Amino acid sequence: MLRPMLDDLRRQVALGCRILALGDQGDFVWGHVSARDPDGRGVWMKASTFGFEEIGPEQVILVSWDGEVLGQVLGAGLRRHAEYPIHTELMRARPDVAAVVHTHAPWAVAFAATGRPLRPVSHEATLFVPPDVARFTRTGDLILTAELGAALADAVGDRNAAFMLHHGIVTCGPDVVTAVMAAVLLERACRTNIRTVAGGGATTWSSDEEALAKRGHCYPPALLEQAWDYLERRLGRVGG
Ligand SMILES: [Zn+2]
């Protein structure tokens, strides 16, 4: 893979934040997007105290593997999120992961609490199912330590997402586009599933075989990028 330029990486993380805001995944100033530092120093991550829609490249800071904010050339005084171990520990455990998203996605939090398996009743869930979405159940509290971050990474395993019960979601991928689009699609899949439950429960959904075929047809990297580009244009139209 080509080594991403730092400016591009920070711009992508910022754009990812604003795309998540557009999808109503912001929770005031909480939730974050990160990308692995190409030089191995840690992660480039949204700074704390800002909402998703307020983030530009200058609010994306370098956080070391141990949570230290490194070399703030711009925006001195920016602070890191307390839950940085979600990002550092998942990337430590998964060399294939170069981007992580954590949000308090409202439909996903509500759906995960039903205890039901996510059903591929529309396209979106096929990016995750089968098998059913991974669930982190050890705590619904904040992930404030490396030990809890490692436990969360364990729950994610080799998957692209997990529900964090009573808390939110985590998604990951080899790049920012993949990780952010996974968060967008997981939230939409949960919204559709909640509507299905509200309508009396699904009586039909894609078989595993159909779901896996759809995963390849609907969400290969090139199509995820098309959706990302569309969302970027939409942000431009709403002045985001
Ligand atoms: Zn959180």
Side-chain angles (χ1 to χ4, degrees):
M1 199 168 63
L2 285 176
R3 187 177 181 281
M5 300 295 291
L6 263 190
D7 285 355
D8 290 345
L9 206 58
R10 295 174 84 193
R11 205 174 305 123
Q12 269 200 332
V13 170
L15 183 54
C17 289
R18 288 185 289 124
I19 283 173
L20 290 165
L22 194 64
D24 198 27
Q25 291 204 40
D27 179 14
F28 303 100
V29 297
W30 301 296
H32 7 96
V33 178
S34 72
R36 187 189 288 271
D37 177 52
D39 292 324
R41 294 169 292 182
V43 299
W44 287 92
M45 190 171 164
K46 167 196 174 294
S48 67
T49 74
F50 298 98
F52 275 146
E53 73 280 5
E54 298 181 299
I55 298 295
E58 58 285 356
Q59 281 90 32
V60 177
I61 58 176
L62 180 57
V63 178
S64 80
W65 297 105
D66 299 318
E68 195 189 335
V69 179
L70 298 175
Q72 286 196 27
V73 191
L74 298 166
L78 292 178
R79 289 157 52 189
R80 65 151 170 78
H81 280 279
E83 288 193 302
Y84 77 88
I86 292 173
H87 303 258
T88 49
E89 295 310 312
L90 189 47
M91 288 197 212
R92 233 198 272 263
R94 290 272 301 274
D96 61 310
V97 165
V100 174
V101 171
H102 166 61
T103 75
H104 301 163
W107 291 100
V109 169
F111 179 72
T114 70
R116 293 165 184 257
L118 188 74
R119 298 296 193 195
V121 295
S122 61
H123 291 334
E124 294 94 339
T126 66
L127 184 59
F128 312 96
V129 174
D132 192 22
V133 180
R135 287 161 201 260
F136 176 69
T137 57
R138 182 162 142 190
T139 179
D141 202 351
L142 302 185
I143 306 298
L144 298 176
T145 64
E147 197 261 330
L148 272 178
L152 175 61
D154 236 29
V156 175
D158 63 356
R159 312 286 301 280
N160 59 353
F163 290 135
M164 299 164 68
L165 272 288
H166 319 147
H167 182 167
I169 59 169
V170 60
T171 62
C172 60
D175 50 58
V176 175
V177 172
T178 307
V180 169
M181 287 310 302
V184 169
L185 290 164
L186 181 58
E187 176 69 342
R188 286 174 65 93
C190 290
R191 184 178 67 179
T192 303
N193 270 250
I194 288 270
R195 284 170 170 161
T196 308
V197 171
T203 58
T204 180
W205 53 84
S206 288
S207 65
D208 285 1
E209 188 187 9
E210 181 175 277
L212 289 171
K214 287 174 69 168
R215 186 180 301 173
H217 295 150
C218 300
Y219 302 120
L223 293 198
L224 290 180
E225 209 150 317
Q226 285 178 18
W228 167 278
D229 290 345
Y230 161 71
L231 290 169
E232 182 175 8
R233 293 196 300 275
R234 207 168 129 186
L235 274 172
R237 285 200 296 278
V238 299

